[in-house]
Amino acid sequence: MTLDTTSQMGSRKARHYAFPQGHSSGKDTMNASHGTSGTAVQPTADKVTLIDGYVPVIDLSSAWTGGPEGRRAVGRALGEVCEHSGFLAVAGHGVSETVIAEMYRATQEFFALPLSEKKRLLADPDDPLMRGFGRPGSLAASNADASLDRERALPDISETYTINKLGEPASPGLPSDADPHLKLPNKWPELPRFAEAYRAYYAAMENLAREIMRLFALALDLPESWFDDKIDEHMTNMTANYYPAQPDPPEPGRARKGHHSDWGCLTILYQDGAPGGLQVLDKAERWVEVPAIASTFVINIGDLMARWTNDRWVSTVHRVVNPPRAVAMCERYSVPFFYQPNYGAVIECIPTCTDPGNPPKYGPITSGAYIMDKFRRAYGN
């Protein structure tokens, strides 16, 4: 399999490589026909890190086929990235190419509907998870130091559509004191095979996220199952983002998604390769492009994982920029899976992330209370 692009990886140009015989990116992979540009990758000596850099590419294959040592090797690689940048791309994930292609097809069909039809699925104003067609908001307003008035005056230039496991008939249980609106049903468009495509993709992301959390546990010197009972009734939003063409220059200060860090424990992102994409803020305060690499998902950790690890792992600020004016008529799509622990999961310092010289920095907080406060800041009540 040979992939080709000149996208930057960190501050370096990605080189052109092919996978050597016997070492592939996984049986089922996403190809460039979905609109995703390809960056060729080559394993390093450890057979885990394919491209290094600020946003490296990690091959998960050894975690599925390499036995306990293979899982530990992948866990070590993930842990090193989470301490450095908190952003990576993963190959060898095993997610079906068909499942990805069907989700992408359904996403394009939904956002191509007339605005009046999409608004029929407008999120209930009382829905704290904003399922359905999303109301305008500013992710930058969710930052702890944000001026809510200023950020809300510059809403993100995007349309969204969201589903959550809590909106399904067989949804997880919630404590008796939880907001009953958390159980509002998902709003499905009347499009052929749409709900089926989204449910299949959501299930694939659930499986991948659970396995990554187990690898995270190994990286943190915990039993592999340490996170299992904290995510078995997760409350994850999967949000499709549509970034329309920009025939007129946006107002100064407005972006497709304003700068922010994610809120949960990890995000798994599908993105196409259209111009005007994802950037992360590196430790030198420079914006670094995150290229859309064929056959991979982008993964980053969120604020709750940073709290869980006592800031041993970093939740990095990122944004989605506007396209250059020369290609401003290009549309773009991305679909993040914002993995959020169980509503009642207590997020407090992991035992292996503290010692007498490094006491816990944060008090305990529950996953549900944290995410609902973030939504209020970003999108209002």
Side-chain angles (χ1 to χ4, degrees), residues 98-119:
T98 301
V99 167
I100 297 168
E102 276 294 286
M103 176 279 296
Y104 191 61
R105 173 201 58 77
T107 299
Q108 290 179 306
E109 288 185 3
F110 173 74
F111 287 113
L113 292 172
L115 184 59
S116 59
E117 291 191 40
K118 289 181 281 191
K119 283 188 172 180

Side-chain angles (χ1 to χ4, degrees), residues 202-347:
Y202 192 102
M205 294 300 99
E206 280 187 296
N207 292 337
L208 180 57
R210 181 178 61 249
E211 289 303 317
I212 290 172
M213 292 296 287
R214 289 172 176 168
L215 296 171
F216 279 179
L218 294 176
L220 294 166
D221 299 314
L222 297 166
E224 188 170 324
S225 61
W226 194 88
F227 290 108
D228 284 5
D229 63 353
K230 303 163 186 66
I231 57 175
D232 57 349
E233 295 188 329
H234 67 89
M235 48 181 294
T236 297
N237 265 8
M238 188 175 90
T239 297
N241 293 300
Y242 167 57
Y243 304 109
Q246 297 180 352
D248 299 313
E251 301 168 62
R254 288 191 69 189
R256 284 177 158 176
K257 292 289 182 188
H259 69 284
H260 65 283
S261 56
D262 285 350
W263 307 335
C265 53
L266 68 90
T267 301
I268 305 175
L269 175 70
Y270 166 82
Q271 59 171 341
D272 69 17
L278 181 64
Q279 296 181 339
V280 300
L281 191 64
D282 72 10
K283 295 182 183 302
E285 301 291 313
R286 299 171 301 191
W287 288 105
V288 176
E289 298 284 344
V290 179
I293 304 174
S295 308
T296 73
F297 293 109
V298 173
I299 291 180
N300 64 278
I301 67 166
D303 298 341
L304 283 187
M305 185 59 76
R307 289 178 69 109
W308 239 339
T309 62
N310 210 26
D311 287 339
R312 172 175 164 184
W313 289 5
V314 294
S315 179
T316 298
V317 171
H318 50 284
R319 66 184 183 182
V320 180
V321 297
N322 299 316
R325 294 309 302 163
V327 287
M329 295 306 293
C330 293
E331 300 172 322
R332 181 179 173 83
Y333 302 88
S334 70
V335 183
F337 183 82
F338 297 111
Y339 204 45
Q340 184 73 21
N342 301 355
Y343 181 91
V346 177
I347 311 301

Side-chain angles (χ1 to χ4, degrees), residues 30-193:
M30 177 172 59
N31 61 45
S33 66
H34 302 152
T36 303
S37 62
T39 294
V41 292
Q42 172 173 288
T44 55
D46 63 9
K47 304 293 186 183
V48 172
T49 302
L50 304 181
I51 294 180
D52 59 8
Y54 198 74
V55 183
V57 180
I58 303 296
D59 187 356
L60 301 182
S61 298
S62 297
W64 325 136
T65 62
E69 182 50 41
R71 292 182 69 78
R72 285 191 292 270
V74 174
R76 284 193 300 270
L78 294 177
E80 290 174 4
V81 177
C82 290
E83 290 185 13
H84 180 58
S85 69
F87 259 86
L88 65 149
V90 293
H93 46 71
V95 177
S96 164
E97 178 180 308
T98 301
V99 167
I100 297 168
E102 276 294 286
M103 176 279 296
Y104 191 61
R105 173 201 58 77
T107 299
Q108 290 179 306
E109 288 185 3
F110 173 74
F111 287 113
L113 292 172
L115 184 59
S116 59
E117 291 191 40
K118 289 181 281 191
K119 283 188 172 180
R120 291 172 58 189
L121 299 176
L122 195 63
D124 190 308
D126 294 323
D127 183 357
L129 299 176
M130 208 167 69
R131 281 156 289 197
F133 189 59
R135 57 189 179 271
S138 167
L139 284 181
S142 68
N143 299 322
D145 59 351
S147 166
L148 296 186
D149 290 340
R150 184 181 69 243
E151 298 299 350
R152 287 178 181 169
L154 299 168
D156 297 331
I157 308 172
S158 62
E159 295 180 5
T160 65
Y161 171 80
T162 296
I163 64 170
N164 190 291
K165 191 174 184 177
L166 291 179
E168 291 291 87
S171 64
L174 288 172
S176 59
D177 61 347
D179 184 343
H181 294 104
L182 288 167
K183 302 287 278 188
L184 288 171
N186 290 319
K187 297 191 173 190
W188 297 105
E190 295 181 0
L191 290 171
R193 308 193 320 276

